[in-house]
């Protein structure tokens, strides 16, 4: 899935999640031998609930959810702790080594692997297999692990799908039909080339930073990211080489801001200033533009995300993992289900630009209301919900594509885009670096 750049706000943290490197982190001390807790049938005890960067914006919401649960289950006491995103993985490692993991812990699709792959989290599918039907399929599947069968190691929490955002006025200036946005990666590049040719350097099509496009673009083009056994990267193909060559050509023609190859923090400013045709693929971005650049917002349109050959999009997901050896398994699992149920997720979504992973919550009319059909924010919410209802794993970032892997691949691709090495060499070296990182944990 394309990791487009989201506004750096509290809501953006919710939407995009916080991605961490897992390849360099190890949880030693025989973590896989942690004794598995068993249910007793009694929902009681004191449990710790850790969230990621929700205070102070969402303090009232979380406290309300906790209070309602404790009222329903008077024998349970919830101790809530909220921690910043910086150093979160390191804290997880330290807590795991010290036997101090919280009973219920907020994890992203990337960071949950750090614990689940080392046997630190309870298998939700084993404990609550029937609950799978309550969640959006793509969200539930996010928390399986390669080679671990049908095990699921976290309850899906809030999610967000990909959408397409674009400036209708600039679209028309480039001679493109705003009613016919691109639907494939190849068509997206074709549109970008036309925009570059017509803009005269006054504006660009999209941001150059490859980290925001990989591995999503490659997946959508049908490039196999991993082997069937998912034990090595296999993206070194002619199609991937062609993608790099096309990026290099578009970059040279001015389809992307030159400075955006190495940094991407100014995407909101560029789009909000009318200097960029395609904005980040996030409903939260539309809301941000509405607040900060109303003149450009008036020309902003939204559509379904570029899907390509696969026909599916991916989703960003946050989850709640259960400590495998928690002393109060009944209380922990019931609380995680409570936090992620339909009503609670809908209420959360009304406070932030996110979506329920709970299928019943997603069916709430709030997510299908298009208003008068002219307001981009309302349309973005509805389009996102429609896409989320059918989201599959096809374009999701695999857990093996850690932050370190992504950085290694991007370094080689950037060199090719700048003309410092040819595209075929870049892809080959990128795959070699990625496989070296993938093998590193197994060698420890």
């Amino acid at each position: 899935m394309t990791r487009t750049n989201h506004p750096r706000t509290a809501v953006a943290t919710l939407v995009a999640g916080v991605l961490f490197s897992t390849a360099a982190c190890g949880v030693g001390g025989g973590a896989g031998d942690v004794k598995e807790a068993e249910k007793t049938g009694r929902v009681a005890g004191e449990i710790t609930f850790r969230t990621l960067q929700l205070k102070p914006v969402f303090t009232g919401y979380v406290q309300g959810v906790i209070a309602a649960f404790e009222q329903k289950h008077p024998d349970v006491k919830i101790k809530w702790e909220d921690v910043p995103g910086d150093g979160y993985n390191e804290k997880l490692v330290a807590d795991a080594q010290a036997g101090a993991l919280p009973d219920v812990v907020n994890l992203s699709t990337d960071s949950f692997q750090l614990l689940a792959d080392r046997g630190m989290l309870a298998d939700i599918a084993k404990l609550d297999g029937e609950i799978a039907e309550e969640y959006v399929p793509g969200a539930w599947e996010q928390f399986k692990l390669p080679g671990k069968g049908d095990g699921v190691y976290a309850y899906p929490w809030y999610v967000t799908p990909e959408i397409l955002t674009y400036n209708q006025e600039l679209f028309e200036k480039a001679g493109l039909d705003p009613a016919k946005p691109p639907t494939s990666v190849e068509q997206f590049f074709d549109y970008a080339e036309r925009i570059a040719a017509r803009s005269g350097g006054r504006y660009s099509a999209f941001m150059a930073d490859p980290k925001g496009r990989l591995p999503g673009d490659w997946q959508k083009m049908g490039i196999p990211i991993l082997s069937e056994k998912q034990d090595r990267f296999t993206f070194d193909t002619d199609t991937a080489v062609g993608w790099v060559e096309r990026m290099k050509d578009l970059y040279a023609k001015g389809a992307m801001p030159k400075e955006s190859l190495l940094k991407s923090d100014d995407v909101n400013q560029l789009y909000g200033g009318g200097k960029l045709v395609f904005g980040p693929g996030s409903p939260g971005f539309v809301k941000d533009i509405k607040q900060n650049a109303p003149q450009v917002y008036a020309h902003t349109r939204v559509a379904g995300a570029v899907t390509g050959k696969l026909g599916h999009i991916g989703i960003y997901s946050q989850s709640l993992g259960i400590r495998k050896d928690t002393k109060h398994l009944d209380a922990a699992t019931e609380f995680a289900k409570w936090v992620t149920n339909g009503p609670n997720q809908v209420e959360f979504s009304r406070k932030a630009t996110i979506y329920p992973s709970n299928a019943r919550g997603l069916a709430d009319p709030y997510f299908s209301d298009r208003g008068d059909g002219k307001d981009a924010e309302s349309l973005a919410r509805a389009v996102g919900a429609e896409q989320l209802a059918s989201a599959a794993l096809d374009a999701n970032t695999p857990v093996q594509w850690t932050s370190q892997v992504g950085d290694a691949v991007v370094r080689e691709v950037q060199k090719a885009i700048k003309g410092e090495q040819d595209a075929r060499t870049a892809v080959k070296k990128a795959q070699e670096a990625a496989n070296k990182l993938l093998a590193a944990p197994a060698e420890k």
Side-chain angles (χ1 to χ4, degrees):
M1 165 176 192
T2 304
R3 290 180 183 173
T4 354
N5 302 294
H6 300 282
R8 292 182 179 274
T9 62
V11 172
T13 300
L14 288 169
V15 173
V18 181
L19 300 179
F20 305 96
S21 167
T22 59
C25 300
V27 181
D33 297 328
V34 171
K35 184 178 179 180
E36 187 172 4
E38 296 182 0
K39 286 188 174 182
T40 64
R42 183 167 180 263
V43 181
E46 180 175 306
I47 60 173
T48 303
F49 173 43
R50 178 182 295 171
T51 56
L52 178 59
Q53 218 162 301
L54 296 188
K55 291 182 178 180
V57 179
F58 304 103
T59 297
Y61 166 76
V62 176
Q63 288 177 337
V65 170
I66 291 173
F69 183 81
E70 289 179 339
Q71 183 176 10
K72 183 177 181 180
H73 299 282
D75 293 331
V76 177
K77 179 66 177 176
I78 309 294
K79 180 183 178 182
W80 176 35
E81 59 181 45
D82 188 73
V83 298
D86 292 343
Y88 191 61
N89 262 17
E90 289 79 1
K91 182 170 178 56
L92 286 177
V93 171
D95 287 345
Q97 291 175 331
L101 280 176
D103 301 282
V104 181
V105 57
N106 183 182
L107 302 167
S108 70
T109 51
D110 197 46
S111 63
F112 100 101
Q113 185 195 19
L114 180 64
L115 301 181
D117 200 34
R118 292 162 174 80
M120 302 300 294
L121 298 176
D123 182 351
I124 304 304
K126 181 179 177 182
L127 292 171
D128 269 319
E130 71 284 354
I131 204 172
E133 298 179 358
E134 296 189 18
Y135 298 99
V136 175
W140 181 257
E141 296 289 327
Q142 281 275 283
F143 302 103
K144 290 185 174 182
L145 286 173
K148 299 288 186 178
D150 293 326
V152 176
Y153 297 92
Y155 289 95
W157 195 8
Y158 53 88
V159 299
T160 188
E162 213 179 346
I163 63 171
L164 186 71
T165 61
Y166 57 102
N167 186 315
Q168 176 179 338
E169 183 180 41
L170 298 184
F171 232 61
E172 292 172 340
K173 285 184 178 180
L176 298 169
D177 184 353
K180 297 179 180 179
T183 59
S184 69
V185 175
E186 295 85 351
Q187 189 179 38
F188 181 88
F189 284 164
D190 290 342
Y191 279 33
E193 185 167 5
R194 187 163 180 176
I195 289 167
R198 294 288 190 95
S199 72
R202 294 184 298 276
Y203 51 89
S204 303
F206 66 101
M207 302 297 280
D209 182 19
K211 193 170 186 177
R213 307 201 64 84
L214 296 177
D217 274 12
W218 287 352
Q219 291 169 306
K220 291 173 182 180
M221 296 171 75
I223 296 170
I225 303 300
L226 291 159
S227 64
E228 286 190 17
K229 293 184 178 180
Q230 299 189 327
D231 59 352
R232 61 186 177 87
F233 288 102
T234 58
F235 54 76
D236 184 1
T237 62
D238 289 345
T239 306
V241 171
W243 181 91
V244 175
E245 290 175 339
R246 193 76 192 277
M247 284 283 286
K248 177 184 177 182
D249 181 58
L250 289 170
Y251 184 70
K253 291 178 177 178
M256 303 165 251
K258 294 297 182 183
E259 67 278 7
S260 69
L261 181 61
L262 300 177
K263 69 171 188 175
S264 54
D265 291 346
D266 57 355
V267 59
N268 285 22
Q269 182 179 350
L270 285 173
Y271 185 89
K275 300 295 185 181
L276 203 64
V277 176
F278 293 103
S282 158
F285 166 75
V286 178
K287 182 176 182 179
D288 183 79
I289 291 299
K290 183 177 184 178
Q291 295 173 342
N292 299 316
Q295 291 183 329
V296 172
Y297 176 79
H299 299 294
T300 295
R301 294 193 61 167
V302 299
V306 168
T307 57
K309 296 178 180 179
L310 298 178
H312 289 148
I313 64 166
I315 54 177
Y316 298 103
S317 303
Q318 290 283 320
S319 67
L320 296 181
I322 305 297
R323 175 174 170 166
K324 187 177 180 179
D325 62 346
T326 175
K327 295 180 180 179
H328 305 291
L329 183 60
D330 299 77
T333 55
E334 287 303 312
F335 180 66
K337 286 189 287 186
W338 174 259
V339 174
T340 62
N341 69 23
N344 281 328
Q345 288 211 39
V346 170
E347 183 182 353
F348 199 5
S349 299
R350 288 177 178 272
K351 298 178 182 297
T353 311
I354 55 175
Y355 295 77
S357 63
N358 185 285
R360 294 179 182 177
L362 189 64
D364 189 284
Y366 172 73
F367 299 101
S368 59
D369 183 8
R370 290 174 172 256
D372 61 5
K374 298 179 181 179
D375 179 62
E377 184 181 6
S378 298
L379 287 172
R381 182 169 58 244
V383 169
E386 290 169 3
Q387 301 226 148
L388 182 56
S390 61
L393 276 173
D394 296 314
N396 278 356
T397 301
V399 293
Q400 294 90 337
W401 189 285
T402 63
S403 294
Q404 279 196 326
V405 168
D407 289 343
V409 172
V410 165
R411 278 194 296 270
E412 301 302 331
V413 170
Q414 285 174 333
K415 292 176 186 177
I417 293 175
K418 289 189 293 182
E420 296 176 358
Q421 67 181 352
D422 65 88
R424 188 163 296 280
T425 299
V427 175
K428 180 181 179 181
K429 290 173 68 175
Q431 180 171 293
E432 289 174 349
N435 277 325
K436 184 176 181 180
L437 287 166
L438 184 62
E443 295 171 355
K444 291 182 178 180

